Each structure stands twice: as structure tokens, then as C-alpha cells.
Amino acid sequence: MSSHSPHGQSPLRTVQVLGGGNAGSSAHVRSLAAGLVARGVRVTVCAPFEADDAYDFTGTGAAHVHVPRSSDPGSVAVLRAACTDADLVHAHGLHASFRAVLALSGRRTPLIVTWHDRAHAEGARAHLLRLLERRVARAATVLLGTSSDLVDRARGTGARDARLAAVALPRSRRTAHEGTEAAGPRSAKLRAELGATGRPLFVAVGSLERRRGHGLLLDAARVWRELDPSPLVVVAGEGPQRAELQRRIEDEELPVRLLGRRDDVSELLSAADLALLPGRGESRSVLAQEALHARVPLVAVVSGGIRELVGDAAELVPPHDPAAFAAAVVRLLDDPGRAEQLRDLGTRQAAGWPTEDETVAQVLSVYDELTQPQPMI
């Protein structure tokens, strides 16, 4: 494929900046890097070593520069050097974007920012995050939000140009769910290993922190433990709430297992009867997208961009209402016809989501807009 170099110019040079990165933003940057490199764009990904280890940005043909998650002067200096010859810089997430704003200080390099999620914090730190949001929103040449609520937030925070971003679920996450002859036996084996033979299996995924709603999940599990057979709830993820949640599980004898970090979430979903999203996940929740692709009925708390993402293809319940969450799950268990309807609705909903090619095309059109000479009128 020829280089993306209009009017005989040299190839476009871009820097993608990623902080710690959640699963959604990290997978998006890898997909974006692959698509841009395939179109002749020169890509450098600035991210911690561990992010490149996990997502193999260099495997796409991009260069990788290690930039620690910190916004201290040393990290900012490394990022500033990496951006020296860039035609534009594209930062993902609030902290990476703030680092990019500092690194580009005094330069005229266009800065594109993608907000994949709303940053969360409590107490004094919440005030600091609002200040960071305002600084980033006002400095960005273009701010892309992965859901309408994020675009509205960016505009309210002072963004000059905020737009809705097309963000695809990478093919690697989708094809993991596309059926093979071995899928049935694999799922049965996994269910047996988890202790879910002869009982429903529910899967939740997310770091063990308060905003992910695991406390609400445990509240709901108090209802489910009375069912016969009692469902098993497995939670993939790690985080600061682990000890507190584990104590509750043991004290209340809840049918819940904390699995820790897993690299087989796709397999867990394929084996599951239901997928559960009890908290304030990403605006384009990766779990929600994978569940619909895998034809696994989803029960989710309404927050952020979840309604916009799944439409009527999931059971949506109000936030902070464990009784409603528990009841929605029980209704699905009692109504196989409704569960099958959600599977079909999910397949149709997922078919309307942007593809990776469409995502790359949208981003590239923004890049062109900011870097190509505008024709004289």
C-alpha cells in the first residue's frame, strides 16, 4: 500500500501517547497503530514498557518509546523529545493527555485527545481531576469522546472542537467468540474447572475498585444464593478492594469467586450464561461489546454511554439499586425466550458498531484536516 503522503509530501509522522491505559484504550491504540502503519503513516507509541509487552505495539510496525506513567519532569522531557519531529500528537485518556499538553508547551504541534472514559476520583483528588480535564480540554486542537456524554462533558469543560469518536472492538476480541467445533467442549471444561457444572454461570470483568460496582454485585448475590441451583458468579480483575470483597464473600457465604487477573476473558464469556456490568465501566465498555458479540445476554447498570452503546440489546437497571439488578437477572433465568431475544438483538446491535477500518478512516480524516494545507477559496 502506498504511503499516506498527499501532494508529494513525506509520510505523516504521528505520536500516540498512552498512560497506564485501560483495556479499551490500549486495544484501541494498538488497532489504530496497525491501521495507520498499513496506510503508510509513521507511528510512534509512547507508553510504559508493560503496555508494549501486553499489547505489542511494535508488532504493528510502530516504534515504541518508554514513557513512565508519571507526569514528573523526567517523563515529560522524554515525551517532549519523542514528539520533536511529529506532525501531530494523539493522546489517549486524561493523564496521558495532560502529559502531552506539558510536553508540547510552546510548540504549535496539533494535539488530538481521545477520552475513552470519564476519570473518577473522590475527595480532594476529584477537584484535581476536574482541573486536569479543563486544562486538557482547552489545550486540545480536537477532542474525541467515545460516547456522547463524554463529548458533552468536553464541551462543558472548554473544548474548542469536541466530536464523537468511532471506536471499534478490535477483531482479535471479536473473533475469539466466533464459534469453532471445539468451543462446546472447551466451555464445558472451563465451567467444570470453575465449579459451575449443573448451575448457571455469570461473568463480571473489571478492576476491584469501588466505581466498578462489585459491592452492588455482592448485594445482588445475596438474592441469587437462595435460588436452586444457586448460580456461580465469577469476577475477573484485581484491585484494592479485593480483601474487603473476599471478606464479604466468606462472611455472607455468597456464590461468588474472585478470579484475579485473567487472560482468557473471551473464553469465560463464551462459557457464561449471563454477563454482568454492575458499575460505572468505560463509556464504551469492552465487556458489553464482547458479550453482545459472543451472544451472551447482558445485565448492566445504566451509566455513562452504556445505553448509547447497547441500545435495547441488554437488560438495563438503575444505578445503586441491587434489588433491581438481582431481579433483572432472576427474570432472565426464568425466561429463556427473553434471553434468546437479547442474543439476537445483541447480534444486530453489534453489526452497527464501527469497524476498525472505519475507526482508522475517521481518525485519519481528522489528521488530514489538521496537517494538510487548506485550499484557497
Side-chain angles (χ1 to χ4, degrees), residues 208-336:
L208 304 183
E209 51 187 305
R210 205 163 301 282
R211 71 187 179 94
R212 297 294 186 179
H214 299 304
L216 180 147
L217 191 64
L218 298 194
D219 291 343
R222 296 169 69 174
V223 174
W224 304 330
R225 77 182 168 190
E226 306 303 326
L227 301 176
D228 185 20
S230 169
L232 174 65
V233 185
V234 296
V235 181
E238 195 53 85
Q241 265 200 304
R242 184 183 183 100
E244 175 188 339
L245 295 171
Q246 188 61 47
R247 271 196 306 274
R248 273 199 65 187
I249 291 167
E250 292 169 7
D251 292 348
E252 300 173 35
E253 298 182 344
L254 300 175
V256 179
R257 284 187 60 187
L258 304 180
L259 302 181
R261 287 193 180 87
R262 300 281 293 212
D263 57 9
D264 62 346
V265 168
S266 295
E267 287 76 13
L268 286 172
L269 267 178
S270 295
D273 296 290
L274 296 177
L276 307 180
L277 191 63
R280 295 168 290 171
E282 312 102 296
S283 289
R284 286 190 71 85
S285 163
V286 174
L287 173 67
Q289 293 176 79
E290 288 193 285
L292 269 58
H293 272 296
R295 291 179 57 81
V296 178
L298 172 70
V299 179
V301 163
V302 177
S303 70
I306 190 70
R307 190 184 295 278
E308 181 179 11
L309 178 65
V310 303
D312 59 359
E315 292 286 356
L316 301 180
V317 299
H320 316 299
D321 192 341
F325 197 91
V329 166
V330 172
R331 282 197 305 274
L332 275 180
L333 288 179
D334 289 342
D335 189 351

Side-chain angles (χ1 to χ4, degrees), residues 19-307:
N22 61 30
S25 58
S26 300
H28 174 66
V29 169
R30 193 199 192 279
S31 171
L32 198 55
L36 292 172
V37 168
R39 288 161 176 77
V41 176
R42 287 174 54 189
V43 178
T44 299
V45 178
C46 291
F49 280 131
E50 56 268 27
D52 189 48
D53 288 343
Y55 290 90
D56 189 26
F57 302 119
T58 49
T60 68
H64 171 249
V65 174
H66 169 61
V67 178
R69 296 180 66 169
S70 164
S71 291
D72 64 45
S75 296
V76 172
V78 171
L79 181 56
R80 186 174 176 84
C83 296
T84 298
D85 295 322
D87 294 306
L88 57 85
V89 174
H90 189 165
H92 301 263
L94 181 60
H95 295 288
S97 303
F98 179 64
R99 208 165 300 142
V101 169
L102 296 179
L104 294 177
S105 178
R107 294 182 180 171
R108 302 187 60 152
T109 311
L111 172 63
I112 298 96
V113 166
T114 297
W115 280 356
H116 295 264
D117 193 7
R118 178 177 172 181
H120 293 276
E122 297 171 2
R125 188 165 159 73
H127 178 65
L128 173 62
L129 283 180
R130 301 294 81 80
L131 293 176
L132 293 186
E133 278 187 336
R134 193 172 301 123
R135 176 82 182 272
V136 167
R138 292 177 176 178
T141 315
V142 173
L143 197 152
L144 301 172
T146 60
S147 64
S148 296
D149 65 304
L150 287 176
V151 175
D152 291 343
R153 184 172 187 82
R155 288 175 179 150
T157 311
R160 290 172 285 168
D161 185 344
R163 311 177 191 181
L164 187 63
V167 177
L169 182 69
R171 285 187 191 91
S172 59
R173 308 295 289 256
R174 297 201 310 270
T175 54
H177 302 299
E178 290 170 2
T180 66
E181 290 181 13
R186 275 206 311 270
S187 292
K189 181 173 182 289
L190 183 54
R191 288 176 73 105
E193 290 169 356
L194 293 170
T197 301
R199 62 196 294 206
L201 175 65
F202 305 159
V203 171
V205 179
S207 54
L208 304 183
E209 51 187 305
R210 205 163 301 282
R211 71 187 179 94
R212 297 294 186 179
H214 299 304
L216 180 147
L217 191 64
L218 298 194
D219 291 343
R222 296 169 69 174
V223 174
W224 304 330
R225 77 182 168 190
E226 306 303 326
L227 301 176
D228 185 20
S230 169
L232 174 65
V233 185
V234 296
V235 181
E238 195 53 85
Q241 265 200 304
R242 184 183 183 100
E244 175 188 339
L245 295 171
Q246 188 61 47
R247 271 196 306 274
R248 273 199 65 187
I249 291 167
E250 292 169 7
D251 292 348
E252 300 173 35
E253 298 182 344
L254 300 175
V256 179
R257 284 187 60 187
L258 304 180
L259 302 181
R261 287 193 180 87
R262 300 281 293 212
D263 57 9
D264 62 346
V265 168
S266 295
E267 287 76 13
L268 286 172
L269 267 178
S270 295
D273 296 290
L274 296 177
L276 307 180
L277 191 63
R280 295 168 290 171
E282 312 102 296
S283 289
R284 286 190 71 85
S285 163
V286 174
L287 173 67
Q289 293 176 79
E290 288 193 285
L292 269 58
H293 272 296
R295 291 179 57 81
V296 178
L298 172 70
V299 179
V301 163
V302 177
S303 70
I306 190 70
R307 190 184 295 278

